[in-house]
Amino acid sequence: MNNSTVRNPVLLIHGIFDTKAIFKTMTTHLTKRGWDVHSLNLIPHDGRFGLEALAKQVADYINQTFPPEQAIDLIGFSMGGIVSRYYIQRLGGIERVQRLITISSPHHGTITGYLYPTLAASQMRSNSPFLEDLNRDLEILDRINFTSIWTPLDGMIVPAQSSQMPIGEEFTVNVFLHAWMVTDPKSLALVEKALNSPIKTLSSSVSPATI
């Protein structure tokens, strides 16, 4: 197996109001296929803390769990995708992460962010200063394999197109409920294929493989 197809450990990052338990189906699916799958509970999970603080928890978990030379792949569901991006773009994760997969993440904000009076929810509102800052240099993500998976039927990410990104690979699946995006067989198949995509190297100008 050459270096471009080595399977990295996979870290799953959950969304607001969730715990790592939401990834039970995905963890079983990927583990059976040979991946070393990890997850953690972001505390608190109700949005009282800002996304920066949650991303710091991700950074700490990675530093404590994996040796410094170990590359990893991240999968972020909903808010977890934004937390993962902050880790990569602001906390040095770009040096560790080779693949990032976001699933129904509000990259450009969601109207539902106005329903909750918490800091994290306000950071995920459309045109929030937090997201505007993060999207200002989103081209950083082009250095790694970036994949966005989303459903146009999403009732939590409004508008659903907020999960689209102008870089990387993008896939849509017709899943009716937000939470089903981490259990639906079509979504799991796309995750698996994205994790199998050849990694980019600093000397490579090859675009991520089309699935």
mmCIF file of all heavy atoms in Angstrom, residues 5 26 30 42 64 70 125 140:
data_model
loop_
_atom_site.group_PDB
_atom_site.id
_atom_site.type_symbol
_atom_site.label_atom_id
_atom_site.label_comp_id
_atom_site.label_asym_id
_atom_site.label_seq_id
_atom_site.Cartn_x
_atom_site.Cartn_y
_atom_site.Cartn_z
ATOM 1 N N THR A 5 -2.506 5.940 -0.189
ATOM 2 C CA THR A 5 -3.706 5.176 0.129
ATOM 3 C C THR A 5 -3.692 4.624 1.556
ATOM 4 O O THR A 5 -4.519 3.794 1.897
ATOM 5 C CB THR A 5 -3.877 4.012 -0.865
ATOM 6 O OG1 THR A 5 -2.689 3.200 -0.854
ATOM 7 C CG2 THR A 5 -4.116 4.525 -2.273
ATOM 8 N N MET A 26 -22.106 4.908 12.093
ATOM 9 C CA MET A 26 -20.957 5.222 11.262
ATOM 10 C C MET A 26 -19.686 4.560 11.800
ATOM 11 O O MET A 26 -18.868 4.043 11.026
ATOM 12 C CB MET A 26 -20.760 6.740 11.160
ATOM 13 C CG MET A 26 -19.614 7.146 10.244
ATOM 14 S SD MET A 26 -19.448 8.941 10.088
ATOM 15 C CE MET A 26 -20.938 9.318 9.140
ATOM 16 N N LEU A 30 -17.467 1.939 9.575
ATOM 17 C CA LEU A 30 -16.070 2.180 9.204
ATOM 18 C C LEU A 30 -15.116 1.194 9.879
ATOM 19 O O LEU A 30 -14.130 0.758 9.272
ATOM 20 C CB LEU A 30 -15.686 3.616 9.552
ATOM 21 C CG LEU A 30 -16.416 4.715 8.764
ATOM 22 C CD1 LEU A 30 -15.992 6.089 9.266
ATOM 23 C CD2 LEU A 30 -16.163 4.580 7.262
ATOM 24 N N LEU A 42 -17.956 16.791 22.965
ATOM 25 C CA LEU A 42 -17.664 18.204 23.169
ATOM 26 C C LEU A 42 -18.479 18.689 24.364
ATOM 27 O O LEU A 42 -19.680 18.428 24.454
ATOM 28 C CB LEU A 42 -18.016 19.005 21.915
ATOM 29 C CG LEU A 42 -17.272 18.593 20.636
ATOM 30 C CD1 LEU A 42 -17.790 19.398 19.448
ATOM 31 C CD2 LEU A 42 -15.774 18.778 20.793
ATOM 32 N N GLN A 64 -3.332 14.484 22.591
ATOM 33 C CA GLN A 64 -3.211 13.497 23.656
ATOM 34 C C GLN A 64 -3.381 12.061 23.167
ATOM 35 O O GLN A 64 -2.954 11.117 23.842
ATOM 36 C CB GLN A 64 -4.247 13.786 24.745
ATOM 37 C CG GLN A 64 -4.031 15.090 25.486
ATOM 38 C CD GLN A 64 -5.247 15.543 26.282
ATOM 39 O OE1 GLN A 64 -6.210 14.780 26.443
ATOM 40 N NE2 GLN A 64 -5.225 16.778 26.760
ATOM 41 N N GLN A 70 1.579 11.417 13.421
ATOM 42 C CA GLN A 70 0.426 10.691 12.879
ATOM 43 C C GLN A 70 -0.551 11.622 12.178
ATOM 44 O O GLN A 70 -1.131 12.517 12.793
ATOM 45 C CB GLN A 70 -0.300 9.942 13.988
ATOM 46 C CG GLN A 70 -1.572 9.225 13.554
ATOM 47 C CD GLN A 70 -1.306 8.120 12.559
ATOM 48 O OE1 GLN A 70 -0.632 7.148 12.881
ATOM 49 N NE2 GLN A 70 -1.829 8.262 11.339
ATOM 50 N N ARG A 125 -24.987 31.656 12.639
ATOM 51 C CA ARG A 125 -26.013 32.389 11.911
ATOM 52 C C ARG A 125 -25.452 32.904 10.597
ATOM 53 O O ARG A 125 -24.245 33.112 10.451
ATOM 54 C CB ARG A 125 -26.529 33.562 12.752
ATOM 55 C CG ARG A 125 -27.252 33.124 14.010
ATOM 56 C CD ARG A 125 -27.521 34.286 14.946
ATOM 57 N NE ARG A 125 -28.151 33.821 16.179
ATOM 58 C CZ ARG A 125 -28.306 34.577 17.279
ATOM 59 N NH1 ARG A 125 -27.883 35.849 17.262
ATOM 60 N NH2 ARG A 125 -28.882 34.073 18.352
ATOM 61 N N ILE A 140 -7.431 27.618 2.348
ATOM 62 C CA ILE A 140 -6.518 26.747 3.103
ATOM 63 C C ILE A 140 -6.945 25.292 2.957
ATOM 64 O O ILE A 140 -6.115 24.385 2.877
ATOM 65 C CB ILE A 140 -6.510 27.160 4.595
ATOM 66 C CG1 ILE A 140 -5.840 28.521 4.770
ATOM 67 C CG2 ILE A 140 -5.807 26.110 5.459
ATOM 68 C CD1 ILE A 140 -5.917 29.054 6.194
#
